[in-house]
Amino acid sequence: QVQLVESGGGLVQAGESLRLSCEASESINSFTLMMWYRQAPGNQREWVASITPGGNTNYANSVKGRFAISRDNAKNTVYLRMNSLKPEDTAVYYCSAKRLTLNYWGPGTQVTVSS
């Protein structure tokens, strides 16, 4: 049973930084893709970033240049470093892991950015 647990969310002011963590219950090398999504109230879930086992990354245009996804295979953990945070980044952030056709989700962590 795959479990993902996000942590690191909180309340920060605009311009500050935050690092989210996603710890998996098993080797993240067993997943074909690790991803971060976010969902703000009234909005659809938005894909934010992804990273392959080889370390290739992709980002949504809204966060490109500000966010960085990374992985620590030894810790079964994926990170999302968020710099220059904006109020519009406020959302619940979810970790997702893909294995073949299946996707797994964490419960989410709240990020609130005040102006």
Side-chain angles (χ1 to χ4, degrees):
Q1 184 176 356
V2 175
Q3 290 181 306
L4 305 172
V5 180
E6 303 95 338
S7 62
L11 193 155
V12 296
Q13 292 184 324
E16 295 183 341
S17 298
L18 209 57
R19 189 181 75 161
L20 306 182
S21 298
C22 170
E23 185 174 358
S25 60
E26 56 191 85
S27 174
I28 59 174
N29 287 326
S30 68
F31 302 104
T32 58
L33 203 64
M34 299 296 297
M35 295 164 284
W36 286 96
Y37 286 79
R38 67 186 183 186
Q39 187 168 22
N43 290 9
Q44 291 186 330
R45 186 181 64 195
E46 174 190 21
W47 169 78
V48 173
S50 62
I51 186 167
T52 70
N56 292 322
T57 60
N58 284 285
Y59 300 93
N61 288 334
S62 58
V63 306
K64 191 174 298 183
R66 299 188 298 119
F67 290 11
I69 187 172
S70 61
R71 60 195 291 147
D72 187 333
N73 294 336
K75 295 181 178 180
N76 293 340
T77 300
V78 174
Y79 303 97
L80 184 68
R81 178 68 178 182
M82 305 181 293
N83 294 327
S84 302
L85 282 163
K86 305 174 181 179
E88 50 263 46
D89 294 320
T90 295
V92 177
Y93 283 72
Y94 298 94
C95 179
S96 181
K98 184 177 183 179
R99 179 181 289 154
L100 298 179
T101 61
L102 299 178
N103 281 81
Y104 304 92
W105 297 89
T109 185
Q110 176 71 48
V111 173
T112 302
V113 185
S114 63
S115 59

